Amino acid sequence: MPLAMIIVIGWLYVTILVAANEASLVAGILSFLFYGALPCGLILYFAGARVRRERRRYREMMAERAAAEAPPEQ
């Protein structure tokens, strides 16, 4: 995940510079969104998939453990 953050920071820096050199404000905003924010969001989402999967697996394991240790209902 740290490597993905370094890539995202560098790419956002480049896209901000590209957006600042666009002819109009609208073109700059659109180029930043489509060349910068959207791809970086996808990179961070896919980079965090493993962490989300491990957290879900851990929560399921803890729920099973708690259900097994709970006293039987009467």
Side-chain angles (χ1 to χ4, degrees), residues 12-58:
L12 286 176
Y13 175 74
V14 169
T15 55
I16 286 172
L17 292 178
V18 168
N21 286 320
E22 289 290 340
S24 69
L25 180 64
V26 174
I29 290 171
L30 289 176
S31 67
F32 176 74
L33 287 177
F34 288 111
Y35 295 131
L38 194 65
C40 288
L42 289 173
I43 288 172
L44 292 176
Y45 178 75
F46 290 133
R50 184 174 141 235
V51 173
R52 288 191 303 273
R53 185 174 49 246
E54 288 176 359
R55 284 182 184 167
R56 183 176 49 236
R57 195 176 304 146
Y58 177 76

